[in-house]
Every structure is written in C-alpha cells, then in structure tokens.
C-alpha cells in the first residue's frame, strides 16, 4: 500500500512508498481506510529534518497526524464498517505520569508520550492504518469531506475548555474576543468563539485570499493593524501566531480579569521588552496568560460536536487545496493564500 514517509533528521527525504507494509494488528484492532490527511506546519518541520522520530527499530516515519478515514473492521464492535473516524494523535507515556494515568496525555509531565506521524508512532498518510478503539473518534457522516479538520479543532476545543476553567475562578461575563492570526488554528479558534456568541475580532498580517471573508462569515471583524492600534481591550485573547511582538502586544491588551491563551510556537527572533511593565499589568488586572498544546479524548469529542454544529460551506472554504496522494509533492509545497491543504486518498 501507499505511504508518505520521511527519514527523520534528514532534510527533504519526503517520498511516496508504493509497497509500504500493511499496518500490524499490534497498532490497534480498528482497521481504517484513509480518506484524507491534513497538512500543517509541524509536517513542514519534519520534512525539513528539524523534528520527528521514527518508531523504535524503524528508520522511516510515515507522516500525517491530521487524519480522516472509514472503518473497514473493528472486532471489538465499538465501531461499525463505514464509520467515519479520525485517529487521536498522542498516546500516553509508558510510566505513566500523573496526567497520562488519567487520560490527560495532553498534559504529560515527562515528555515520554508518543504521537502518530510525529514521534515514535507511524502516521496517517498511508492507505490503511490501525488504532485501538479508545484512540478512534467517530465523526458525523456529513463531515466526509471535512473531518480532517478534527485534529486542529481538538487543540482549540482544549484551549477553550481551559479558558473557561480559568474564567470560573471568579464571576466572569466575557464579551469581546481577540484572535491573532487567521491561519487554520486562528480560524478554528474564531469558529469556537462565534459558537459561544462573543464579539469577535481577528487580526492578521495580510488581507488576501479567503481569510477576511471567513472571519466576516462568522460575524467577526477582520483587522490588519497591530494589536495596540485596535484601541480596545479584550476579555479573552487567543494568540495563534507565535510572533514575539504580537504575543507581547496580546498580553498587554487584555481587559481586567482577562485571559490570554498562547497557542503559537515561537522560533528564533529575540525582542527587547519591559518585563516589569508586563508584570504590573498582569498583577493589577488579575490577568492570566497560559500556554496550551495538544488535546485529550474529551477535547476530541468536544471538537467533533463543534464541527458537526458548524456551517459545512464555511468549513469547506478553509480547505484551499485538495491534492491526490500520487501528487503528494504539490500538497507539501506551500502556496500563497493556502489555509488548509489536504492530501486525499482515492481508493
Ligand atoms: Zn505522561
């Protein structure tokens, strides 16, 4: 069968293997036929050789962690043939740590978790894959063209759950939300904000392509200014760029009792900033700044509900290119105005 693989640590080793072995029953009892795999920045880092780890004993890693497939067989009976499913990316560490022991592998404390298509588990960019039932999440059948958005949506379902848990520390009636960055993460953060009925503002560096229209379709306002230029304060900020200046501006623009959720991973560039001023702002306004990554099963299920409740045409507009697996090189080559690019597995 076909699989898209890399040799981790070696740049540009991405290739299509035509005779990759069928998934082993050790990988899980649920056999799934791939429908599609979404592509994100983590895949690009793995392709560049900066990230990724093959399973023990293997030299190559099948990439792909944003999955969508149809169940071919599940002897456990929890899923039926034809069910639309996505595979949960992260698996708990073997110790397990306090959090992994209770299914909170997204909060793993020792870093020994494994992840499909990223770290020590083969990914989903192959014709067939296997998972155990507890790592398969069923999707509404009407999401057959769109369900590969579940993985990024699960990350935002966790972010919103944690925002709400932090907000519950005191009486809290948030009204205005700022999302920085209108890539797939920022847009899904915006979708969940709109579903909650908040006044939504989305800031992005440029206004080309589908992004402004997608924000407006959610009832939000699209901005290309800097955060301070907006001239307003926000009860909730979801920072989805990782750009150091935007991160800092976002932290300083929170309203009293405001919550700033950081989802972007920064790299490289250093900036000077006034740590004392930031401290004063956070203390005197009871602000919270927190980081979030990954998602556990509860978040995947919340995300499946959120996608099922979303407008199908809106979700479809987020997917700016669909490329069949045989033309995989095009899929992994970024183009201007890409939002989400999807690799499809015609059978
Ligand atoms: Zn753990």
């Amino acid at each position: 069968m076909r699989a898209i693989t890399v040799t981790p640590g070696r740049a540009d080793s991405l290739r299509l293997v035509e005779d990759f072995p069928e998934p082993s029953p050790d990988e899980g009892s649920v056999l799934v036929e791939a429908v599609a795999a979404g592509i994100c920045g983590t895949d690009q880092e793995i392709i560049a050789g900066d990230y990724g780890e093959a399973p023990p004993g293997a030299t190559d890693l099948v990439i792909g962690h944003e999955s969508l497939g149809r169940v071919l067989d599940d002897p456990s009976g929890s899923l039926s043939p034809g069910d639309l499913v996505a595979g949960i990316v992260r698996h708990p560490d073997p110790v397990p740590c306090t959090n992994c022991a209770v299914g909170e592998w997204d909060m793993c404390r020792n870093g020994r978790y494994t992840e499909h298509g990223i770290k020590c588990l083969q990914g989903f960019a192959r014709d067939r894959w296997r998972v155990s039932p507890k790592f398969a999440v069923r999707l509404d059948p009407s999401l057959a063209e769109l369900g590969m958005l579940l993985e990024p949506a699960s990350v935002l379902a966790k972010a919103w759950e944690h925002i709400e848990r932090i907000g519950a520390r005191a009486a809290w009636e948030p009204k205005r939300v700022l999302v920085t960055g209108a890539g797939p993460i920022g847009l899904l953060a915006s979708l969940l904000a709109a579903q909650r009925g908040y006044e939504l503002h989305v800031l992005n560096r440029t206004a080309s392509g589908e992004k402004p229209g997608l924000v407006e379709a959610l009832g939000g306002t699209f901005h290309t200014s800097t955060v301070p230029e907006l001239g307003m304060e926000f009860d909730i900020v979801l920072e989805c760029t990782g750009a150091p200046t935007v991160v800092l501006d976002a932290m300083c623009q929170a309203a009293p009792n405001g919550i700033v959720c950081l989802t972007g991973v920064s790299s490289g560039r250093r900036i000077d900033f006034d740590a004392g001023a930031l401290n004063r702002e956070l203390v005197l306004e009871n602000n919270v700044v927190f980081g979030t990554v990954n998602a556990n099963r509860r978040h995947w299920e919340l995300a499946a509900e959120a996608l099922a409740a979303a407008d199908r045409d809106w979700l479809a507009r987020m997917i700016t290119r669909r490329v069949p697996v045989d033309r995989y090189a095009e899929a992994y080559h970024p183009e201007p105005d890409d939002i989400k690019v999807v690799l499809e597995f015609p059978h």
Side-chain angles (χ1 to χ4, degrees), residues 93 96-97 100 108-110:
D93 79 76
C97 75
C100 286
C108 181
R109 289 174 58 84
N110 63 26

Short mmCIF file of all heavy atoms in Angstrom, two decimals, residues 93 96-97 100 108-110, ligand 1:
data_model
loop_
_atom_site.label_atom_id
_atom_site.label_comp_id
_atom_site.label_asym_id
_atom_site.label_seq_id
_atom_site.Cartn_x
_atom_site.Cartn_y
_atom_site.Cartn_z
N ASP A 93 2.34 8.25 27.97
CA ASP A 93 3.69 7.74 28.19
C ASP A 93 3.60 6.39 28.94
O ASP A 93 2.59 6.11 29.58
CB ASP A 93 4.52 8.77 28.96
CG ASP A 93 4.21 8.77 30.45
OD1 ASP A 93 4.67 7.85 31.16
OD2 ASP A 93 3.48 9.67 30.90
N PRO A 96 2.85 5.35 33.72
CA PRO A 96 2.57 6.67 33.16
C PRO A 96 2.68 7.75 34.24
O PRO A 96 2.61 7.45 35.43
CB PRO A 96 1.12 6.53 32.71
CG PRO A 96 0.50 5.60 33.72
CD PRO A 96 1.61 4.68 34.20
N CYS A 97 2.82 9.00 33.80
CA CYS A 97 2.84 10.13 34.73
C CYS A 97 1.44 10.37 35.30
O CYS A 97 0.47 9.76 34.84
CB CYS A 97 3.36 11.39 34.02
SG CYS A 97 2.16 12.13 32.90
N CYS A 100 -1.04 11.31 32.39
CA CYS A 100 -1.31 10.24 31.43
C CYS A 100 -2.11 9.11 32.10
O CYS A 100 -2.94 8.46 31.45
CB CYS A 100 -0.01 9.70 30.85
SG CYS A 100 0.76 10.82 29.65
N CYS A 108 0.96 15.66 29.60
CA CYS A 108 2.04 14.74 30.02
C CYS A 108 3.19 15.51 30.66
O CYS A 108 3.63 16.54 30.15
CB CYS A 108 2.55 13.95 28.82
SG CYS A 108 3.85 12.79 29.27
N ARG A 109 3.67 14.97 31.79
CA ARG A 109 4.70 15.68 32.54
C ARG A 109 6.12 15.23 32.21
O ARG A 109 7.07 15.94 32.52
CB ARG A 109 4.46 15.48 34.05
CG ARG A 109 3.23 16.23 34.54
CD ARG A 109 2.93 15.88 35.98
NE ARG A 109 4.06 16.19 36.86
CZ ARG A 109 4.31 17.38 37.39
NH1 ARG A 109 3.49 18.39 37.13
NH2 ARG A 109 5.34 17.57 38.17
N ASN A 110 6.28 14.03 31.66
CA ASN A 110 7.65 13.55 31.47
C ASN A 110 8.11 13.56 30.01
O ASN A 110 9.25 13.18 29.72
CB ASN A 110 7.83 12.15 32.09
CG ASN A 110 6.96 11.10 31.44
OD1 ASN A 110 6.59 11.22 30.27
ND2 ASN A 110 6.62 10.05 32.19
ZN1 LIG B 1 2.73 11.39 30.76
#
